[in-house]
Amino acid sequence: MTVVVVLLAAALVIVIALLAAAGAAAIARMDGATYPTALSRAATAFAAVITLAAAVTAAIVALLT
């Protein structure tokens, strides 16, 4: 049961990170950025969301143990 919950949580985090990256790329393009620049901003947003999720997970694990 816990494996399923962990997989679902990981999938949810990845979907949220992809949505944030798509939003960042769209905003960058609307601002007049080139495609490579928009892709770079999307990658930065994706990495930031994944890093934030890892930090929150580490904090929760530290509180529970």
Side-chain angles (χ1 to χ4, degrees):
M1 181 66 180
T2 56
V3 174
V4 174
V5 172
V6 169
L7 289 175
L8 285 174
L12 181 64
V13 167
I14 290 173
V15 167
I16 291 172
L18 287 172
L19 287 172
I27 290 172
R29 283 295 297 155
M30 283 191 277
D31 195 36
T34 63
Y35 282 108
T37 303
L39 184 61
S40 175
R41 290 183 188 171
T44 302
F46 181 83
V49 171
I50 297 295
T51 303
L52 180 62
V56 168
T57 302
I60 290 172
V61 168
L63 286 175
L64 295 178
T65 55

